[in-house]
Amino acid sequence: MRPAIDELSAIISDQELKITAQTMLKHFDPKPVFLPLIATLALLSGCASTPDAKDAPKPVFPPPPEQPRFYYETSLISSADVELEDENSAFRRFITGEARTGQALAKPFEVAVHKGRVFVSDTVHRYVSVFDKPQAKFFEIGAEAPGELFKPMGLDVDDAGNLYVLDARRKAINVYDRDGKFLRTFGRAEEFSRPAGLTVSPGGEKVFVVDTGGVQSNWHRVVVYDAHSGDFLYHIAQRGSGDGELNLPREAVIAPNGNLYVVDGGNFRVQAFSQEGEFLYSFGDIGLRGGQFSRPKGIAADKDSNLYVVDAAFGNFQIFNPKGQLLLAVGNRNSLNKAANFMLPSGIDVDEDGRVYMIDQFFRKVEVFRPAAIEEGQGYFSGPDK
């Protein structure tokens, strides 16, 4: 058999081999009798699979020799990252060397996670992409009426998995169930200047919409609604730099301790309020050292009320305890699209198991970081082997 393979490889070009393999795939069923010959053709034509970035050592934070606390786990880029591939498609890619493709993110903005289901707002696609690894499926929410979205930005889920999406163009909030069924909409355009972020109380009682405002606007505040009736309830804060005042706020989160934490972007800090709007304390200032901020954006909280704050200038997220003491920084600013590298990070969320999901708009991805306390394959974000 070996001399025959050598002779074949000497007289037939790589291109001819590829055409031969493609022809065999087209005209023959991939039954066992054909597999050895077709595999040989694939190897000779350079179509064998090669290690990719996922085979490289995964980044760990903090790096050795420190005790690991977070591991880079995977990236979500397209529907192919969660959907299972059928045998015929996998076989075709093996033979032809084609890359697997899927429905890709265009310009992701914010992320929210509920029991392994990852919701990502996309301002270019104008819908919410849903990655469900446990069920190995992908679908969209808000792509058509009823509940059609025009510029989805901030989003969040309540404990029941209901999805709340801020449509920045309509200046309204749409509510869907976990499977994307449209439930209701509320909010009026005249109540906002430039809304960008959103968070909901865990029980789904109130929705807090962050109004970023602008140079010509004094509406730098949080607008609060009854999540069921959609009635306006009250505002939190006004424009300024003092305690309890906001300047270009970006995002907000309600932590398990009940506090509302707001990214006060123009003042380079995070402010804590009660859900009724009482100022509690703040942390952070402008600078380039750990614990400071340069361009803070997204914010999330884990089950212990630790806070995860994205900084687009640093290309990372910093983890603080509930009082604002720095615990760890994860990620690197880099123009190379590799694991744990970011150029324009924005939204972030932490799931029930402590996994962290962070968006990068420039690289059009969601990266997932696993806490060292749980093993790979454990928790809600696991699914069938691909």
Side-chain angles (χ1 to χ4, degrees), residues 159-181:
D159 285 346
N162 296 311
L163 176 69
Y164 301 75
V165 184
L166 170 66
D167 190 326
R169 182 170 298 175
R170 290 177 50 244
K171 297 184 178 181
I173 299 92
N174 283 3
V175 186
Y176 309 83
D177 72 9
R178 192 174 187 270
D179 296 319
K181 178 184 177 182

Side-chain angles (χ1 to χ4, degrees), residues 48-81:
S49 61
T50 56
D52 58 20
K54 293 183 180 180
D55 298 310
K58 294 183 177 181
V60 58
F61 298 88
E66 299 294 329
Q67 184 74 21
R69 293 183 58 193
F70 280 94
Y71 295 92
Y72 164 83
E73 188 164 48
T74 191
S75 295
L76 300 175
I77 299 171
S78 77
S79 57
D81 292 311

